[in-house]
Each structure stands twice: as structure tokens, then as C-alpha cells.
């Protein structure tokens, strides 16, 4: 996620902006910039640089070379457009009448861009943010003859933008003809106001509490669809209709380390809770609607519907959790699109001289986009002339750049070594591919497509509800923290879910665990089941429910302690298991997105109960860039 900092007050702004941005570095970024308005200057001064903040520091003598007491700063986590100085924020209208920094995703930026180009606007970047900046400029220019006072004119322009834009945004805004005034607005992306006293007398805006903690503990939380107008002495908050509203000032009790985690004890828990937003950000921009009809638009990948329809076979390749995503996606794609799918570990794929079809499609799945084995697998496919699609999180990563096509998951940076939101958003991205494939191949009709899209759009709220059961999972985790061996069993999608649940447990609790196809147990492994062995039985698939429960009965009769994971309504499981966690019902093919949540929480709480380093487990790296 990007980071925003703003300041207006009696001190020089640029050093404060840069200091605030360094407090947001943990969010991950690939470029940065500041825009500052000096009262007597002719226009806003903008300085941007690709790479680390130190580049910006060196360019501006840590901000001391940039004069002015009102400005905004930004660290960019690229979503639309490669990491570059040009794509870095702030984005301005040509004559710097408006300067904008943004965190979030403008879903309808292309249509806004086209509309503004018709009005003569020229775009200089690939970003969605520039569309917002120029749209704001157009509304502000329209107000020039209105006779409105500058502040009312600015508020009206921001109001129109908030009505026109779809997506999520936190905006920091400067108007060139309003020195000493800082505006902000937000929808679904966090933004706070800091109230500074003493030699810093004035106000700040920031994406997150850590950015202001060095300057103040007094903050005001800007709510959804609200606008802030700040000067060194004044703080005004308005609703979307430009009516002023009262907001309480809150005193922050956290220290900086806690604040980076948004108050959670670990980044992993923060990222588990970011899953609803991350899945929504990944799905919504690709689901278009017109006159009540919805469809999936993957045109950003550059793969046409005709090319998708002609795909003869899909091979999905990844490592670790990315491979587990592939295992789940294979079930979804084959059952919806009837396209033969195979999955493979990248470290195996690259050395097995795979048989690849010219009309096939290889999908590389990766959070970092830098995993050595996955990158090698990609290069092997390219060398064979087979079309490749990357499903990755990090924009501009090697796999993203080298694949023929890329479908980004807008999860934002993932700090914890154990992946959670990247896994969930990769899965969501592949649901889009599966439904799109099925639709273009005529494997599903319009009614079924609409139903699947409806279910996808409902997933974020259902993930939220799955999270609400975390105290029950925590209670069970504390009971089972001393376990030595744990089995995860399931069939079909539930086996794919078991793979991910087992890896989560192993990598952060150091407890040996194994995922097993439930129907395979009796072919040997069941000999390991004895009194007290914990078995997590995953049974979300209605068609296989009885079979899996029967397998659970088999292990229960041999002394296993059973944790049952199923969907609301499948209460028959209670006759077999010792403990049950239910997740909301959904389309069976999308159950992975919900069932994985309790398993992430189980691993997390067991690791906490053992006093381990949840975010940085021993022996592991976030990105395995070597063989
Ligand atoms: C998962 O929690 C692990 N961090 C690990 O298995 C990871 O999924 C794997 O190394 C692949 O990484 P990538 O997604 O960045 O390619």
C-alpha cells in the first residue's frame, strides 16, 4: 500500500514530510515524492525519485532545500504503471493548478482518462492517480467562474470527484492558488489528521498513525466519504455533501512499533485481517457492470477472449503457498471451464523437461515475483514459446516483467514471511480467470456466470465473518500448542485447503504436520494415528462431505483428536469431531477463500502460544531468490 503524509503549519514542511514517510517505509514502496507550496512562490514545487527515500533525501538535503510550510508526500507501492520517477506521486495538472497524492485503486480510471482526453487533457503517466488529479483539476477549473470562495470551490470540486470516482482512495490535495491550505478526502483507504502544537503548530494528514507519532499523539480519524480542509490554525471536516461535521480528537496510546502493525501484535495478524479489503481490491476492478449485466474484464492482461477460448491446457506453477493456490485453482478451472489443468512445484517443473502444448497457457503464481524456481520455470516456458501469464503481487517484479501477460493481485505489500493475503488474492485472481475461461468457452451460461460473480463479490464480507470466530480458534490453539504431529485431511478442494493449512502450521509453529488426501489415509499413513494425534478434517464440499466425515470417523476410532472445519448448516459433523469451526456458506468452488481463514488463525495462535517469532520464523525468507 502507498503511504501519504501532509503538513501545513508554522514549520518548514519538507523535512516533516520526509520524516513522516520514513515512518511508513514498513508498508513497502518503490518510489516517493513530495509537493510543497511556498506562500510567495509562483507555483507548487514537486520533487520525485524512484527507489528508496534516501534518493529523495539526497535530492532535497533532507527536505531543507524545499521551502514552504504546506505540502504533501507519498511513498508509492505500484499498482497501475511500473515503478518509475514519472509514475511516482504527487501527480499534478499541467500547470500545477492541482497536486494529488493517492493511496488506493481508482477502478474506473480508464473511462475517466478517456473522457478527459476528449477535453484535451494530456496524460503523462500510466497511473490511475493521474486520472484523479486531472479530473479534480477539471472540476476546479469549471468552478473558476462560479463566484464561489476558494474553499467552497475546492470543496465542490472534491465533492464532484468523490461522486464520479469508483474504487478506494485516500487523497492529499494541494491547489496551486490556495497556499497554506491542505485538503484530504477518503473512501475505503485509511487517512488520519494529526494536530500539532508548539514549534510544529499546524496539522498533518497521514495514511497511518506511525507517520505522525514523531510529531503528535492527537489525531482525528477521517471517516469514509469525508473531506478535510486544514490550515495551520484550522481543522474542518465535511461530509460528502460539503456539510461541516464534528469529529473527536483521539490521543494515541500506541508506540511506533505497535502503530506500524495497526495495533495488531504481528504483521501476520494485520495481514490476515486485510484479506477482505485485499480480495475486494483484486476482484472489483475486473468485474464490470452495464445495465444490470456483469462480466469479467481481463483485458489488462492483453489476452483476448478468443485467445482464452483457444487455450487447450493450463499448467499452473508455483512454490509453497503459491503452489497450494494452484492446487485449489485447478479444481475450480476444470470444473467450470472444462480445460485440462495440471499443477506443479516450480522446483520440479523446471527439471522434468515438461511436455507443453503450443496452444497451452502456463500460469506462474508468486507473491514476490522473484522466487528463483518460479522465475526459472517461466524462462523455460518462454524458451519453449509457450504463452505465460503471471499472477503476482509485486508490480514490476521479475516474473511480472518477463511473463507474456500479468494479472496483479492488489494485496499490497506483505511483510509477514507466512503469506496470507497474497494467497487469498492469488486465489481470487484465479477465480476470475476460471469464470472468464468458462464464459468465453460457453461452458457456463449467463445465469451461472452472474451467480458466480455474485458469490465472488460476496466473499470479502464472508471472510470478515470467518474472522469473527477467531476467539474460538484461539481457545483451541492454546489447548493444542503442545502437539507434536498434526494431520490435515480433505478431499478435492478440501485437500488443497489442507495443504495450505499444514504449511502455515509448520512454518510458524515448527510443529510437524502433514496434509493428506482423506481417501488415501488407509493406504498406509493411518498407521501413524494414535491417541492424541490432532487431525484437522476439512469438509466444505457438500458432494464429498459424507466421505470426509467417514474418514474422520476412521481416525477418531484410532484415537485421533478431531478438529472439524465445515460450513454453517453441516452440523452432522458434531457427531464425529471434538471441536468444530464453521465458515459461511458460499459457492462450493470458492470455499477455499473462507476455510483457509481459521487455518491461518490456528497456526498463528499456536505460534503465539509457543512464544515464537510469528512474522520472522527461523530458517525462512520472505522471498526465496536462490535455488
Ligand atoms: C508461504 O507462507 C511461504 N512464505 C512460502 O511457501 C511462499 O509461498 C513461497 O516461498 C513462494 O513465494 P512467492 O509467492 O513469493 O513466489
Amino acid at each position: 500500500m502507498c503511504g501519504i503524509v501532509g503538513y501545513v503549519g508554522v514549520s518548514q514542511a519538507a523535512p516533516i514530510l520526509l520524516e513522516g514517510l520514513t515512518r511508513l517505509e514498513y508498508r513497502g514502496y518503490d518510489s516517493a515524492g513530495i509537493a510543497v507550496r511556498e506562500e510567495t512562490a509562483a507555483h507548487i514545487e514537486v520533487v520525485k525519485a524512484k527507489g528508496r527515500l534516501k534518493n529523495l533525501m539526497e535530492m532535497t538535503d533532507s527536505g531543507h532545500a524545499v521551502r514552504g510550510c504546506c505540502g504533501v508526500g507519498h511513498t508509492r507501492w505500484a499498482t497501475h504503471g511500473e515503478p518509475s520517477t514519472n509514475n511516482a506521486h504527487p501527480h499534478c495538472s499541467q500547470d500545477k493548478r492541482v497536486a494529488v497524492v493517492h493511496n488506493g485503486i481508482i477502478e474506473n480510471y480508464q473511462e475517466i482518462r478517456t473522457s478527459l482526453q476528449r477535453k484535451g487533457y494530456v496524460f503523462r503517466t500510466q497511473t490511475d492517480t493521474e486520472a484523479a488529479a486531472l479530473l479534480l483539476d477539471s472540476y476546479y477549473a469549471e468552478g473558476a467562474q462560479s463566484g464561489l470562495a476558494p474553499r467552497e470551490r475546492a470543496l465542490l470540486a472534491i465533492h464532484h470527484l468523490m461522486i464520479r470516482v469508483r474504487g478506494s482512495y485516500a487523497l492529499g490535495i494541494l491547489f496551486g492558488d490556495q497556499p497554506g491550505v491542505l485538503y484530504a478526502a477518503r473512501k475505503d483507504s485509511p487517512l488520519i489528521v494529526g494536530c500539532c502544537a508548539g514549534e510544529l503548530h499546524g496539522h498533518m494528514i497521514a495514511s497511518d498513525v506511525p507517520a505522525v507519532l514523531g510529531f503528535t499523539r492527537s489525531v482525528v480519524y477521517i471517516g469514509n466519504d469525508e473531506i478535510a480542509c486544514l490550515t495551520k490554525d484550522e481543522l474542518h471536516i465535511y461530509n460528502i455533501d460539503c456539510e461541516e461535521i464534528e469529529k473527536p480528537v483521539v490521543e494515541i496510546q500506541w508506540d511506533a512499533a505497535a502503530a506500524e502493525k495497526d495495533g495488531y501484535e504481528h504483521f501476520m495478524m494485520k495481514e490476515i485481517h486485510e484479506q477482505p479489503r485485499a480480495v475486494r481490491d483484486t476482484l472489483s476492478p475486473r468485474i464490470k457492470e452495464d445495465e444490470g449485466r456483469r462480466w469479467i474484464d481481463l483485458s489488462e492482461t492483453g489476452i483476448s477472449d478468443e485467445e482464452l477460448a483457444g487455450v487447450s491446457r493450463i499448467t499452473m506453477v508455483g512454490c509453497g503457498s503459491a503452489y497450494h493456490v494452484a492446487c485449489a485453482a485447478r479444481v475450480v478451472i476444470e470444473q467450470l471451464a472444462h480445460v485440462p489443468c495440471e499443477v506443479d512445484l516450480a522446483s520440479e517443473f523446471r527439471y522434468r523437461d515438461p511436455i507443453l502444448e503450443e496452444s497451452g497457457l502456463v500460469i506462474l503464481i508468486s507473491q514476490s515475483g522473484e522466487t528463483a524456481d518460479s522465475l526459472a520455470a517461466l524462462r523455460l516456458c518462454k524458451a519453449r514459446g509457450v504463452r505465460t501469464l503471471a499472477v503476482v503481487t509485486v508490480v514490476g517484479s521479475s516474473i511480472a516483467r518477463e511473463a507474456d501477460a500479468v494479472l496483479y493481485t492488489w494485496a499490497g505489500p506483505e511483510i509477514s514471511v507466512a503469506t496470507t493475503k497474497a494467497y487469498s488474492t492469488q486465489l481470487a485472481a484465479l477465480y476470475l480467470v476460471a469464470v472468464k475461461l468458462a464464459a468465453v468457452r460457453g461452458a457456463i451460461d449467463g445465469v451461472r456466470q452472474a451467480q458466480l460473480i455474485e458469490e465472488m463479490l460476496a466473499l470479502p464480507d464472508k471472510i470478515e465473518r470467518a474472522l469473527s470466530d477467531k476467539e474460538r480458534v484461539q481457545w483451541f490453539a492454546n489447548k493444542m500448542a503442545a502437539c507434536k504431529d498434526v494431520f490435515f485431511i480433505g478431499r478435492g478442494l478440501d485437500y488443497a485447503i489442507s495443504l495450505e493449512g499444514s504449511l502455515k502450521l509448520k512454518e510458524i509453529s515448527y510443529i510437524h504436520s502433514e496434509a493428506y488426501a482423506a481417501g488415501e489415509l488407509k493406504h498406509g499413513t493411518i498407521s501413524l494415528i494414535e491417541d492424541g494425534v490432532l487431525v484437522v478434517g476439512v469438509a466444505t464440499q457438500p458432494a464429498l462431505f459424507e466421505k470426509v466425515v467417514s474418514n474422520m470417523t476412521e481416525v477418531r476410532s484410532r484415537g485421533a483428536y478431531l478438529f472439524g472445519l465445515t460450513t454453517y448448516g453441516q452440523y452432522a459433523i458434531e457427531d464425529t469431531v471434538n471441536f468444530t469451526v464453521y465458515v459461511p456458506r458460499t459457492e462450493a468452488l470458492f470455499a477455499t477463500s473462507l476455510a483457509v481463514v481459521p487455518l491461518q488463525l490456528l497456526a498463528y495462535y499456536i505460534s503465539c502460544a509457543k512464544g515464537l517469532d510469528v512474522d520472522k520464523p527461523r530458517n525462512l525468507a520472505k522471498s526465496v531468490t536462490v535455488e
Side-chain angles (χ1 to χ4, degrees), residues 319-322 365-369 371 417-419 426 503-504 507 624:
C319 300
S321 294
I365 304 168
S366 176
Q367 182 276 331
S368 62
T371 299
V417 167
T419 185
Q426 289 160 6
L503 177 62
K504 286 281 101 42
E507 65 178 328
V624 184

